[in-house]
Amino acid sequence: MKKEKVILVDCDGVLLDWLYAFEVWMMHQGFEVKDKNVYEVDKRYGISKKQKETLVRFFNESAAIGFIPPLRDAIYYVKKLHEKHGYVFHCVTSLSVDPNAQELRKMNIEKLFGKGIFEKFVFLDTGADKDEELAKYKDTGCWWVEDKPENALVGQELGLDPILVAHEHNNGYDIPRFWRWKEIYELITGE
């Protein structure tokens, strides 16, 4: 594995707009957003942490997981990184250990981005840490595109080159942070 060929990516909040899809699903379940200014689901909806864990797992293992829309301009620039520059992507996502949920996630990504771009999918349990999986790429210098600062920092400590996809919840970290995949594309390619 060389930095020139492999880009590691998270999925939710990086490739796909999980929060939007989750909000639509929660609305159908009868929940209202109580505080749009916070990212944590329990605080956002005014529910307990236990209820949050149950609802997030239920959503991640529902059919809805196969229909999450892309995040911003991700499709165009991920495809361009692959087609023009020969990058392949390894997706490391804390989704679920349920094989049906995993298959729906894979089908959704391949439907949106195309087959062959994602060389590898690593599915971890809902909310699981990515430390152990990222350690397999230790000192490779691979790009690591993530939206959670904690995961980006783990990658940095392991010798990866982290990039944060910007959201309101991930301000104030000393890691390159971009709203658009266009900016990520420019950083990676130097174009």
Side-chain angles (χ1 to χ4, degrees):
M1 279 175 287
K2 293 183 181 178
K3 181 178 178 176
E4 302 88 50
K5 295 293 176 196
V6 175
I7 298 174
L8 305 173
V9 289
D10 178 31
C11 187
D12 299 312
V14 172
L15 299 171
L16 302 178
D17 197 345
W18 184 90
L19 185 58
Y20 168 78
F22 183 72
E23 284 185 346
V24 169
W25 182 84
M26 285 290 279
M27 185 179 63
H28 290 293
Q29 306 306 310
F31 291 88
E32 286 182 26
V33 173
K34 303 291 185 200
D35 187 351
K36 230 176 174 21
N37 297 318
V38 294
Y39 176 72
E40 296 87 2
V41 170
D42 53 331
K43 294 174 185 167
R44 193 174 185 90
Y45 286 94
I47 59 178
S48 71
K49 288 188 185 268
K50 177 80 171 147
Q51 189 176 21
K52 171 202 81 164
E53 290 170 9
T54 300
L55 289 166
V56 168
R57 179 175 299 281
F58 192 74
F59 173 75
N60 280 0
E61 294 178 351
S62 76
I65 212 68
F67 301 94
I68 299 179
L71 183 73
R72 304 175 192 145
D73 58 348
I75 290 175
Y76 180 79
Y77 288 99
V78 166
K79 283 183 174 183
K80 192 170 179 180
L81 282 163
H82 176 70
E83 293 166 1
K84 185 175 179 185
H85 299 279
Y87 284 97
V88 292
F89 291 79
H90 292 187
C91 183
V92 181
T93 179
S94 299
L95 173 73
S96 170
V97 293
D98 179 86
N100 293 317
Q102 294 173 1
E103 193 58 33
L104 282 170
R105 165 60 48 92
K106 186 177 174 185
M107 286 170 32
N108 188 42
I109 288 175
E110 289 181 342
K111 173 186 67 179
L112 294 172
F113 294 89
K115 292 188 181 228
I117 293 175
F118 290 85
E119 184 180 82
K120 184 177 182 181
F121 290 91
V122 176
F123 297 104
L124 305 170
D125 202 5
T126 309
D129 291 334
K130 297 176 180 174
D131 306 35
E132 193 175 308
E133 281 304 317
L134 294 177
K136 295 175 183 176
Y137 297 89
K138 185 176 171 65
D139 295 327
T140 60
C142 287
W143 294 103
W144 167 225
V145 187
E146 172 62 81
D147 68 316
K148 290 187 181 170
E150 299 82 11
N151 291 334
L153 290 168
V154 167
Q156 190 173 51
E157 290 168 12
L158 290 168
L160 304 177
D161 210 345
I163 299 170
L164 280 172
V165 173
H167 296 275
E168 282 80 22
H169 69 270
N170 63 13
N171 272 339
Y173 292 87
D174 191 24
I175 295 172
R177 181 176 171 271
F178 302 105
W179 281 97
R180 300 267 175 215
W181 266 89
K182 179 182 189 288
E183 298 161 310
I184 295 169
Y185 173 88
E186 290 168 350
L187 175 68
I188 290 172
T189 64
E191 290 183 5

